[in-house]
Every structure is written in C-alpha cells, then in structure tokens.
Amino acid sequence: PAINAGLSVSRVGGNAQIKAMKQVAGPLRLELAQYRELAAFAQFSKDLDKATQAQLARGERLVELLKQPQYAPLEVEDQILSIFSATRGYLDGFDKKYITQFKKQLCTYIREKHPEIGFKLHKSKAIDTELDAAMHAGIKEFLEQVFLPSLGTTTSAEGGTPKAEA
C-alpha cells in the first residue's frame, strides 16, 4: 500500500483497508515515522549507538519493501505477508539489495507451498492467532529452505536467521 506516515491523503484512510492490512500497517506506520525522525537526527551526528543504527537500517529495509514497479500491483495477501515479515523482524540482518528478491520469492513460495495462508487471509480478512502462527512458520520455512540457501548461506548477515519479535 502507498504509505506516507506524515500525510493523510484521504478521509477514507484506513476504512478502505481490510482488518489484516490494518493489523500489519499500524506497526509499519509507527516504524516509518520513527525512522524518519531518526534519519533527520542522524544527519547531524556521526556517532550513533548500535540500537539507533539498527533502527535506521530497519527503516531503510521497510522503505525498500514498499517499492513496487509501475503497473505491477501486489495482491493484498502478498502485501500483508511481506509487511508482516518485515515488521516481525524477518528482514533484519539482510542488506537492502535483497529485499525485492525476498518479497518476490516469499510470495511465490507461500502461494505454492502454503496456499491455505492466502486463502485464510482472503476469507477472514483478519489475522488471528492460528493464522499468525502459520505465517511465522511459513516465513521461517521459506528462509531456511529457499532464501538463505539462494544467497549461499545458512544465516543472515548478523549471524543468525532473523527472529520474530514478540
């Protein structure tokens, strides 16, 4: 979805989104707003602590994730899945140059190997605890069986498969 954390372009706003999108877009908006604040502050400071550097890197990954080629919209289920993976920390530790590849491969993998996830998202239009667990399991499986091996590694750049946040 087109998101600008600082501007409202419509009175409809979140009312046009399905509940599952609202569930993943809320944390995304917050993280993007924090990223923009930190990025503005960071341009005046050279010495940043590791937590600030990690938050800036995550913000860069989120911005990269939201980029889409013109005339190539993603299905809402794919949007939810990719935003879910990013806000839950699965992209942490990867260089931003891999984000587009990750998004494409993840959506294809889940569609082929776990079609029930897309079906449940489409049918219920919300993420319950069962669907949340299925999405976590599908993303972890994708990372371990497809994505990390395609990069020629078994761990992310930070020394381990990214962990989901609580």
Side-chain angles (χ1 to χ4, degrees), residues 63-114:
V63 169
E64 193 66 29
L65 179 81
L66 293 174
K67 293 178 182 177
Q68 288 181 217
Q70 190 172 10
Y71 308 118
L74 286 176
E75 295 291 328
V76 71
E77 293 86 4
D78 292 344
Q79 292 177 35
I80 292 166
L81 185 65
S82 60
I83 294 170
F84 179 91
S85 66
T87 58
R88 298 313 194 274
Y90 289 104
L91 296 178
D92 293 355
F94 291 111
D95 190 298
K96 72 178 187 176
K97 69 182 178 183
Y98 296 117
I99 302 302
T100 302
Q101 176 186 350
F102 175 90
K103 180 171 56 173
K104 280 183 185 177
Q105 289 180 356
L106 173 66
C107 294
T108 301
Y109 181 84
I110 296 296
R111 205 175 303 113
E112 292 173 358
K113 302 289 185 185
H114 297 283

Side-chain angles (χ1 to χ4, degrees), residues 15-148:
N15 292 334
Q17 295 175 339
I18 64 173
K19 185 175 180 182
M21 181 60 80
K22 289 179 192 177
Q23 289 174 287
V24 296
L28 176 67
R29 278 192 294 271
L30 178 62
E31 288 191 42
L32 285 174
Q34 290 172 341
Y35 163 67
R36 288 192 178 98
E37 251 182 62
L38 278 176
F41 171 75
Q43 68 185 0
F44 299 112
S45 177
K46 301 276 190 243
D47 298 328
L48 300 173
D49 64 356
K50 284 192 178 227
T52 304
Q53 291 173 354
Q55 197 167 7
L56 286 169
R58 179 179 251 198
E60 290 173 4
R61 287 184 205 98
L62 290 174
V63 169
E64 193 66 29
L65 179 81
L66 293 174
K67 293 178 182 177
Q68 288 181 217
Q70 190 172 10
Y71 308 118
L74 286 176
E75 295 291 328
V76 71
E77 293 86 4
D78 292 344
Q79 292 177 35
I80 292 166
L81 185 65
S82 60
I83 294 170
F84 179 91
S85 66
T87 58
R88 298 313 194 274
Y90 289 104
L91 296 178
D92 293 355
F94 291 111
D95 190 298
K96 72 178 187 176
K97 69 182 178 183
Y98 296 117
I99 302 302
T100 302
Q101 176 186 350
F102 175 90
K103 180 171 56 173
K104 280 183 185 177
Q105 289 180 356
L106 173 66
C107 294
T108 301
Y109 181 84
I110 296 296
R111 205 175 303 113
E112 292 173 358
K113 302 289 185 185
H114 297 283
E116 71 279 1
I117 292 174
F119 177 75
K120 286 179 184 176
L121 278 171
H122 184 76
K123 184 179 176 194
S124 70
K125 298 186 182 347
I127 301 172
D128 59 15
T129 55
E130 181 182 314
L131 184 54
D132 185 274
M135 290 169 70
H136 278 294
I139 294 167
K140 286 178 186 176
E141 182 181 298
F142 163 74
L143 279 168
E144 293 167 1
Q145 295 181 9
V146 177
F147 193 68
L148 291 172

